[in-house]
Amino acid sequence: MMASFAPFLRRPEAASIISLIGIVAFYVIIGGVDLVTLFGAASWINFAANLGIVAIPVGILMIGGQIDISIGAMIPAGSMTVAIVSGHFGLPIEVGILATLSLGAIVGLVNGLLTVRTTVPSLIVTLGTLVVMQGVVLAGANLLTGAASVKIEAPAWAKAAFGSLIGSSHQVIILWWLVAVVVFAFVIHKTRFGNWVFAMGGDLVSARNAGVPTARLTIMLFMLSAMSAAFVGMCGAIQFNSAQVSGGMGYIFNTIVSIVVGGVLLTGGFGSVVGIFIGTLTFAIVSQGIYFTQIDRNWSSLIIGVTLLLAVAMNESFRKFALRAGPRQATGRR
Amino acid sequence: MSANAPILALRGVNKSFGPIDVLHDINLEVRAGEVLCLLGDNGAGKSTLIRILSGVHQPTSGTIEMDGQSVGFPTPRAAADKGIATVHQFGGTFPLMSIGRSFFVGVEPTKGWGPFKTYDRKKANEIAVKAVQDFGITRIDDGDRLVGGLSGGERQSLAIARAVHFGARVLILDEPTAALGVKQAAHVLRIVNEAKRRGLAVIFITHQVMHAMAVGDHFAVLIRGAVAADFKKGEKTREQITDLMAGGETMADLEATIEGYMASHDGHPPPPSH
């Protein structure tokens, strides 16, 4: 019987699936949640989609052995950029979108270059760019518009693509998230490029010696995460017709928790896109699903913390299990 | 065997890091189908020598020759491209990757077309498992197993099989048996012999005289960054080699001699005894 579970437990996302089931069961049994209401609700899915679009590239970056916390500033930077360019200055929305993604690409490029050219850990590099970008957004918004909040009216097509509601309450960004999950799962697990990311996170020097273009790959991954964060910010601005200079800082810890619950090894070399997806769902249900329970919502941080610790403990033991050789070990020869 | 020309040779190689001289006038040669055992205590300069051979460090002076041509290895990649493969003590890297995936890092086989070109897991696993089994490690039969789940000897074997599969001509084995038990070490030694039989030049770095004598054709003892002795199989007994390497009177004598010689010869070590 154990044998049929064994291949599942060796997968990076095993612990996240168990966490997800566990947390839903906990809310149902202890919190008295009605499952139909929970799964029909948009609030936590919208939350998960916004978080998930950032968590996937950051998680992939983490599999590759780096981390990016500057996303916390890139989200408001993205929404302010599109709002200033297309709202305040009234340029076409295409220019605003292009400017937003370009800003993401530039910040990602800076993060990547600083990481590969120096020996400074990427946590510190991106802490630097996080603070720098906060300053740029605050001062830039004040300089250009004289306000901390900028309005934007996007044309119908842009509204539909980035900031509309499906049905009455589900944000269209959910679809972007699902597409990102499928595309990145394919790229990471089915292509050479994906194999390089795992190799780089497992052992940077050996990967480089084996011919993996580690510097280029690292820079690309940083650009991807900064652009994704800017994209989420942009969608928010288009959705709500305005952008604020603040916000986004919560994303830093939320993405890291989602990624780690999703089974990605913090030091790199192990993880999966499906795991990050499920980790994000778990995090969203823990933090937003609590509103559907009879549990006092002040407990939600405690539940998140306990979930994180349990998931990490499970990840650790499943990883050890995966490392132990398969059933063939027990042949007793030699 | 010894009649053919050396594949790789060091000619008068010196290496200093700032004011510290680490290697002095190193002359070494290794030929196809020959195992050169590099013996020496900790701090004798073995690691630095390996790093020069594998392109991590550049010699301060002297030349590296391949097939009689002077070459430089500006990067580890350049050395690897010329067919020099280095396998480190723990044999491998990427403990959390599968055997098939780690075997093909950087040169993954693909199937499909255009943007939908996918990593060919089946092919990678088949080739990797076959390559290791050809070296006699029949216990590795599942390419999906994680490298970290293999024993130390199996990991070494996998790394050597990988190097041979990708066309290495010179195999540098850095203390491959140091962390292994007796059976595992015997396994690795068999694989070294197999690599030699296939015509590779092997540079085998070790502390263990028994292991060196089991596979070596040619021996060089490094002391304080200089080649203190350079001899062929059968020219010295195990006791003599152990003495040379592991201290004792002979070692002390040698060191005193070398230091005396270097003091009176402008910092150059004496020519190795044969």
Side-chain angles (χ1 to χ4, degrees):
Chain A
M1 192 201 75
M2 200 53 210
S4 56
F5 273 116
F8 165 70
L9 292 183
R10 283 197 200 97
R11 303 189 63 83
E13 58 271 14
S16 65
I17 292 172
I18 295 173
S19 306
L20 179 61
I21 295 170
I23 203 70
V24 172
F26 177 78
Y27 276 180
V28 169
I29 295 164
I30 308 291
V33 163
D34 177 12
L35 275 184
V36 178
T37 317
L38 181 66
F39 289 127
S43 63
W44 65 273
I45 302 179
N46 288 339
F47 179 86
N50 281 282
L51 181 59
I53 290 182
V54 184
I56 289 171
V58 173
I60 292 170
L61 191 60
M62 216 185 268
I63 294 174
Q66 306 292 348
I67 198 167
D68 181 4
I69 62 169
S70 69
I71 49 127
M74 285 314 294
I75 290 166
S79 52
M80 279 315 273
T81 305
V82 73
I84 290 175
V85 172
S86 298
H88 184 75
F89 290 117
L91 292 169
I93 190 74
E94 291 86 349
V95 179
I97 294 169
L98 195 68
T100 304
L101 296 179
S102 306
L103 180 73
I106 291 165
V107 174
L109 182 68
V110 170
N111 281 336
L113 281 174
L114 286 175
T115 301
V116 300
R117 292 279 166 81
T118 67
T119 54
V120 181
S122 51
L123 177 71
I124 305 301
V125 168
T126 56
L127 178 63
T129 45
L130 171 78
V131 180
V132 166
M133 285 313 293
Q134 276 181 315
V136 167
V137 170
L138 263 173
N142 201 33
L143 189 73
L144 294 172
T145 70
S149 173
V150 181
K151 290 205 182 319
I152 171 174
E153 282 296 338
W157 74 266
K159 188 84 182 165
F162 305 112
S164 56
L165 294 174
I166 307 166
S168 58
S169 50
H170 290 80
Q171 292 175 9
V172 69
I173 200 169
I174 296 167
L175 296 181
W176 286 98
W177 181 37
L178 295 178
V179 169
V181 170
V182 172
V183 170
F184 283 115
F186 175 80
V187 170
I188 290 304
H189 300 295
K190 297 287 177 199
T191 69
R192 300 183 63 189
F193 179 89
N195 209 43
W196 296 353
V197 174
F198 281 95
M200 188 168 80
D203 185 337
L204 181 64
V205 175
S206 299
R208 189 187 298 137
N209 290 347
V212 175
T214 53
R216 218 170 352 129
L217 196 59
T218 306
I219 292 171
M220 275 178 65
L221 294 180
F222 271 111
M223 289 173 71
L224 211 59
S225 77
M227 286 169 76
S228 301
F231 177 82
V232 167
M234 180 188 86
C235 291
I238 292 174
Q239 173 103 48
F240 300 110
N241 300 325
S242 88
Q244 274 77 37
V245 289
S246 59
M249 296 305 274
Y251 275 86
I252 299 171
F253 285 111
N254 295 356
T255 47
I256 294 174
V257 172
S258 302
I259 292 163
V260 172
V261 169
V264 174
L265 186 60
L266 197 61
T267 47
F270 195 70
S272 70
V273 173
V274 173
I276 300 168
F277 173 71
I278 294 170
T280 310
L281 278 181
T282 309
F283 183 83
I285 290 183
V286 172
S287 64
Q288 303 298 307
I290 197 155
Y291 298 109
F292 297 90
T293 69
Q294 294 143 10
I295 305 167
D296 179 356
R297 60 209 47 166
N298 292 328
W299 290 110
S300 82
S301 285
L302 175 101
I303 299 172
I304 292 172
V306 171
T307 313
L308 174 68
L309 294 176
L310 284 178
V312 169
M314 273 195 282
N315 282 331
E316 193 79 0
S317 42
F318 291 169
R319 199 153 47 235
K320 284 207 183 93
F321 181 66
L323 275 176
R324 277 209 308 272
R328 291 171 190 82
Q329 184 81 349
T331 48
R333 266 194 318 118
R334 293 195 316 119
Chain B
M1 276 294 171
S2 55
N4 61 9
I7 293 188
L8 185 68
L10 294 180
R11 309 273 184 222
V13 164
N14 286 280
K15 177 71 187 173
S16 357
F17 294 103
I20 303 159
D21 298 330
V22 182
L23 295 174
H24 313 276
D25 295 347
I26 303 285
N27 291 292
L28 284 175
E29 295 180 342
V30 59
R31 295 173 171 78
E34 184 186 84
V35 177
L36 167 67
C37 289
L38 203 55
L39 304 157
D41 205 356
N42 292 339
K46 287 177 303 186
S47 308
T48 309
L49 191 55
I50 296 164
R51 289 192 187 125
I52 285 178
L53 289 171
S54 55
V56 179
H57 295 325
Q58 315 311 315
T60 309
S61 66
T63 53
I64 306 173
E65 287 178 9
M66 252 191 125
D67 303 315
Q69 306 281 316
S70 173
V71 289
F73 302 138
T75 61
R77 184 80 192 139
D81 285 343
K82 292 214 166 70
I84 297 181
T86 309
V87 175
H88 293 287
Q89 189 173 352
F90 297 101
T93 52
F94 317 130
L96 290 164
M97 288 175 87
S98 75
I99 291 169
R101 280 181 173 269
S102 68
F103 195 89
F104 282 99
V105 163
V107 284
E108 295 83 357
T110 53
K111 57 182 178 189
W113 174 86
F116 301 104
K117 220 183 256 177
T118 57
Y119 164 72
D120 192 342
R121 168 174 151 269
K122 197 159 159 262
K123 189 173 168 194
N125 286 357
E126 268 171 18
I127 296 174
V129 167
K130 183 168 185 307
V132 191
Q133 292 200 337
D134 283 352
F135 270 92
I137 309 292
T138 49
R139 285 180 68 245
I140 296 182
D141 56 4
D142 177 4
D144 280 331
R145 263 172 65 184
L146 297 187
V147 173
L150 303 177
S151 73
E154 286 169 343
R155 277 207 230 183
Q156 287 284 339
S157 310
L158 179 66
I160 294 172
R162 180 179 196 271
V164 172
H165 180 83
F166 290 109
R169 299 178 63 207
V170 179
L171 198 55
I172 302 173
L173 304 176
D174 185 5
E175 305 258 8
T177 57
L180 301 182
V182 178
K183 275 185 185 165
Q184 295 277 330
H187 239 71
V188 171
L189 294 176
R190 270 214 299 282
I191 283 168
V192 171
N193 268 327
E194 174 63 20
K196 170 175 148 181
R197 197 189 62 75
R198 293 193 191 187
L200 272 83
V202 182
I203 300 177
F204 184 76
I205 292 102
T206 185
H207 277 116
Q208 278 127 320
V209 181
M210 285 289 284
H211 295 167
M213 293 193 73
V215 293
D217 299 298
H218 198 135
F219 303 83
V221 180
L222 271 188
I223 295 176
R224 302 212 171 177
V227 178
D230 184 343
F231 51 92
K232 293 214 165 55
K233 188 175 186 165
E235 288 181 359
K236 282 202 182 351
T237 65
R238 202 178 107 204
E239 286 72 25
Q240 285 172 311
I241 304 175
T242 313
D243 245 7
L244 267 172
M245 274 182 62
E249 282 301 307
T250 323
M251 184 83 140
D253 286 352
L254 257 173
E255 285 188 15
T257 317
I258 289 174
E259 275 173 14
Y261 188 95
M262 281 167 69
S264 57
H265 286 79
D266 223 11
H268 290 285
S273 59
H274 283 275

